[in-house]
Amino acid sequence: MSDLEFHLQGEQAATTAAALETFFAETFGAEIRRENPPPPAVGEAEKAVDSIAVAALVLSIPGALLAAMDLAERLKLKQKVDRLITLARREWREHGTRIWLRRRNATPLALDEIEPAAVLDAAEQAREP
């Protein structure tokens, strides 16, 4: 995986995708790619919570955007990631759309339930060949 991927599930996934696209454009000055694959495999607990998901989208953040990140930038990025997590929590609470952070060779994480360090670690992992 060369990109950082967010999987969206829920009836308002398209609305949430637009909010994320705006967030990344304003915060990072980058466009993200939108795809419509089948929903990612998640654990039984997540399936039960979101059993009526209608839409699924993948938003991929280009690896080139992540390539410039180093330790100093990681500290600055934490505030931006905090805002991203806040957006994910709001979308889940207000629209019922859950955003999953997909990591290489690992179970997807619900963005509204994790700490900024997990997002930064996933971004670092996405940079690796």
Side-chain angles (χ1 to χ4, degrees), residues 3 25 28 51 60-61 94 102:
D3 295 342
F28 296 100
S51 61
S60 296
I61 314 312
E94 294 178 8
R102 184 171 173 201

Side-chain angles (χ1 to χ4, degrees), residues 76-92:
K76 289 191 281 186
L77 285 175
K78 183 186 176 297
Q79 291 179 337
K80 294 176 181 180
V81 171
D82 283 332
R83 292 190 355 237
L84 176 62
I85 291 171
T86 299
L87 171 70
R89 290 177 178 156
R90 185 184 71 232
E91 291 297 322
W92 176 238

Side-chain angles (χ1 to χ4, degrees), residues 3-124:
D3 295 342
L4 187 60
E5 294 182 354
F6 295 98
H7 292 246
L8 287 64
Q9 289 181 286
E11 293 182 11
Q12 300 292 321
T15 303
T16 300
L20 279 175
E21 288 170 334
T22 300
F23 173 83
F24 278 98
E26 291 175 353
T27 305
F28 296 100
E31 291 185 30
I32 56 180
R33 202 171 54 243
R34 190 188 296 203
E35 302 171 14
N36 291 311
V42 293
E44 292 302 317
E46 289 86 359
K47 286 181 186 175
V49 170
D50 200 18
S51 61
I52 60 168
V54 175
L57 296 167
V58 174
L59 299 175
S60 296
I61 314 312
L65 173 66
L66 305 171
M69 187 167 55
D70 63 9
L71 184 57
E73 286 188 36
R74 183 179 169 107
L75 296 173
K76 289 191 281 186
L77 285 175
K78 183 186 176 297
Q79 291 179 337
K80 294 176 181 180
V81 171
D82 283 332
R83 292 190 355 237
L84 176 62
I85 291 171
T86 299
L87 171 70
R89 290 177 178 156
R90 185 184 71 232
E91 291 297 322
W92 176 238
R93 185 179 60 251
E94 294 178 8
H95 301 291
T97 300
R98 177 152 272 168
I99 303 170
W100 296 93
L101 173 60
R102 184 171 173 201
R103 303 166 301 147
R104 184 182 302 163
N105 302 320
T107 304
L109 299 171
L111 193 58
D112 57 290
E113 295 179 344
I114 62 177
E115 296 297 319
V119 177
L120 294 170
D121 290 345
E124 187 69 29

